[in-house]
């Protein structure tokens, strides 16, 4: 702008015809060229911005999956206050997944690789730090949230799975058949289930075909048996899980494991073996490894073995009351 102002002053102050001042004409020529270059760069910058925004949108599914993973980790602190994971920890896992996942020149394949690697690594990292009783809870919630985001299951189906008929009043719903084998809670679960279109006729079907339903219900593993009234071949894995949850809450976990395997893969249903060597690779001078001891578990031998393998000097110190230094 200062160059432009200087040129304007030169033009205003020149006493004669402008064509007589060759230097001024040269400056104006350079200004025109510069103006064209700036205009071209602005156009290029706008095109580059469009390309960057387009590429960023292509990778949005990675950010979406990261969001699902992180906020579920945060929500696990409601289950137990000890389950605390900082955003810094999570971002380290996220960046690591971007770096270590399989590369591909095909953008969609690259995105799929990142999502698969990120999901498994974060799941494995989180499950490792949970009490045994909460590990499958986390895995199931992760599966449900991923399926919700992908529209594989609907919000009302999710709520039916979580709450069943707990919010219903037995006196305000259709009366159950006059028998003693269907509990009040089971009937309320079925009433809530009947609000899902695929199960809209289940109350009348149970009343009409009571013998077959009771035979299925009384079996040792209903989730493995043939469901009456054509449901055996018409239900996908999650709706089958909904039905089992409504009838047989005690068999829900067994069926839910099948749902996890179907949605995420067998490795998410298998246990995570504690690998001290890989944990060592995650640590540094500012990130120590901390093991919470419980009855019957003592990682001392594994730590000693790892120290010998890495040729690291390991000096145990007992800090309990009345303990002496080894």
């Amino acid at each position: 702008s200062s160059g432009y102002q200087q040129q304007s002053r030169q033009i205003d102050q020149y006493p004669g015809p402008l064509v007589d001042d060759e230097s001024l004409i040269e400056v104006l020529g350079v200004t025109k060229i510069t103006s064209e270059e700036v205009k071209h760069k602005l156009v290029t910058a706008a095109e580059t911005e469009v390309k960057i925004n387009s590429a960023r949108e292509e990778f949005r599914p990675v950010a979406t999956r990261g969001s699902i993973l992180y906020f579920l980790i945060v929500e696990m602190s409601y289950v137990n206050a000890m389950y605390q994971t900082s955003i810094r920890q999570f971002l380290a896992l996220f960046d690591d997944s971007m770096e270590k996942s399989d590369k591909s020149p095909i953008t969609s394949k690259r995105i799929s690789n990142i999502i698969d690697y990120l999901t498994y690594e974060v799941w494995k990292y989180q499950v490792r730090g949970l009490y045994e009783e909460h590990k499958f809870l986390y895995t199931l919630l992760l599966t449900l949230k991923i399926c919700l985001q992908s529209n594989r299951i609907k919000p009302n189906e999710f709520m039916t799975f979580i709450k069943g008929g707990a919010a219903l009043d037995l006196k305000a719903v259709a009366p159950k058949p006059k028998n003693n084998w269907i509990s009040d809670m089971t009937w309320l679960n079925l009433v809530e289930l009947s609000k899902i279109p695929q199960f809209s006729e289940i109350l009348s079907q149970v009343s009409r075909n009571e013998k077959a339903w009771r035979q299925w219900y009384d079996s040792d593993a209903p989730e493995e048996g043939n469901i009456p009234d054509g449901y055996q071949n018409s239900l996908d894995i999650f709706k089958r899980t909904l039905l089992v949850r409504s009838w047989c809450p005690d068999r829900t976990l067994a069926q839910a494991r099948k749902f996890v395997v179907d949605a995420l893969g067998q490795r998410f249903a298998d246990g995570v073996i504690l690998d001290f060597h890989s944990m060592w690779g995650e640590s540094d001078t500012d990130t120590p490894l901390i093991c919470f001891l419980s009855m019957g578990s003592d990682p001392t031998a594994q730590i000693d073995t790892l120290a010998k393998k890495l040729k690291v000097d390991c000096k145990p110190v007992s800090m309990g009351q009345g303990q002496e230094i080894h």
Side-chain angles (χ1 to χ4, degrees):
S1 60
S2 61
Y4 174 78
Q5 292 173 353
Q6 183 179 359
Q7 293 167 15
S8 297
R9 285 197 299 271
Q10 287 180 320
I11 293 172
D12 292 339
Q13 295 172 2
Y14 188 71
L18 295 179
V19 292
D20 293 342
D21 191 335
E22 294 182 2
S23 63
L24 185 57
I25 291 175
E26 289 178 3
V27 170
L28 290 172
V30 171
T31 301
K32 182 180 180 181
I33 293 173
T34 304
S35 175
E36 292 296 329
E37 290 177 351
V38 170
K39 188 184 297 183
H40 176 71
K41 288 179 179 178
L42 288 173
V43 172
T44 302
E47 293 174 350
T48 303
E49 183 180 5
V50 170
K51 291 179 181 178
I52 291 173
N53 288 338
S54 176
R56 184 168 56 191
E57 285 301 317
E58 282 187 297
F59 280 83
R60 187 173 291 277
V62 176
T64 300
R65 179 59 59 87
S67 175
I68 291 172
L69 293 168
Y70 175 69
F71 285 106
L72 177 57
I73 289 174
V74 171
E75 289 169 3
M76 287 301 293
S77 64
Y78 299 132
V79 177
N80 190 303
M82 291 184 64
Y83 300 152
Q84 302 289 335
T85 303
S86 70
I87 184 66
R88 182 179 175 184
Q89 286 175 277
F90 179 79
L91 289 177
L93 292 170
F94 189 92
D95 293 341
D96 199 48
S97 298
M98 295 287 287
E99 180 181 343
K100 293 183 179 179
S101 56
D102 292 339
K103 307 297 188 292
S104 174
I106 304 172
T107 303
S108 59
K109 180 62 176 175
R110 171 65 175 144
I111 292 170
S112 177
N113 291 343
I114 295 172
I115 289 175
D116 289 345
Y117 189 95
L118 173 67
T119 303
Y120 184 66
E121 289 302 309
V122 171
W123 171 80
K124 189 168 63 173
Y125 181 91
Q126 182 67 6
V127 165
R128 188 178 65 195
L130 300 177
Y131 290 120
E132 196 65 35
E133 62 183 323
H134 297 145
K135 289 183 178 181
F136 186 69
L137 170 65
Y138 171 75
T139 303
L140 180 56
L141 285 173
L142 176 62
T143 308
L144 289 168
K145 285 181 175 288
I146 289 174
C147 289
L148 268 172
Q149 189 274 326
S150 64
N151 292 319
R152 178 173 175 176
I153 64 177
K154 297 179 174 61
N156 64 319
E157 295 172 347
F158 172 79
M159 293 309 299
T160 299
F161 179 79
I162 296 298
K163 297 196 307 180
L168 300 179
D169 182 357
L170 190 64
K171 297 178 182 179
V173 301
K176 69 176 186 178
K178 295 179 180 180
N179 56 58
N180 296 320
W181 69 275
I182 300 179
S183 70
D184 292 347
M185 193 66 249
T186 297
W187 185 252
L188 291 176
N189 288 341
L190 293 176
V191 171
E192 186 65 26
L193 185 66
S194 68
K195 297 176 183 178
I196 297 173
Q198 201 161 354
F199 296 103
S200 60
E201 299 297 321
I202 192 166
L203 299 181
S204 59
Q205 289 169 332
V206 170
S207 298
R208 290 196 306 265
N209 197 9
E210 189 175 329
K211 182 179 179 181
W213 280 102
R214 182 166 188 175
Q215 184 178 2
W216 173 76
Y217 173 79
D218 287 339
S219 62
D220 293 334
E223 72 279 3
E224 302 290 349
N226 291 324
I227 306 174
D229 287 317
Y231 287 112
Q232 178 65 25
N233 299 319
S234 65
L235 300 180
D236 62 28
I237 190 73
F238 181 68
K239 289 190 173 63
R240 190 182 182 99
T241 305
L242 277 179
L243 187 63
V244 172
R245 181 255 183 273
S246 299
W247 274 103
C248 320
D250 59 314
R251 303 303 303 171
T252 301
L253 288 183
Q255 177 61 28
R257 290 186 186 278
K258 296 181 181 182
F259 168 57
V260 169
V261 171
D262 183 77
L264 298 183
Q266 180 62 48
R267 58 183 180 171
F268 287 88
D270 296 335
V272 176
I273 299 175
L274 191 61
D275 184 350
F276 274 84
H277 192 273
S278 65
M279 288 175 62
W280 170 265
E282 296 171 12
S283 67
D284 55 42
T285 53
D286 297 322
T287 310
L289 303 180
I290 300 175
C291 300
F292 289 95
L293 302 183
S294 58
M295 293 295 292
S297 67
D298 185 356
T300 304
Q302 292 170 284
I303 293 173
D304 288 339
T305 301
L306 178 64
K308 291 176 182 178
K309 183 177 181 180
L310 296 173
K311 297 180 180 180
V312 175
D313 189 20
C314 182
K315 298 179 179 179
V317 177
S318 295
M319 301 183 68
Q321 184 177 0
Q323 299 291 322
E324 299 294 334
I325 296 177
H326 287 291

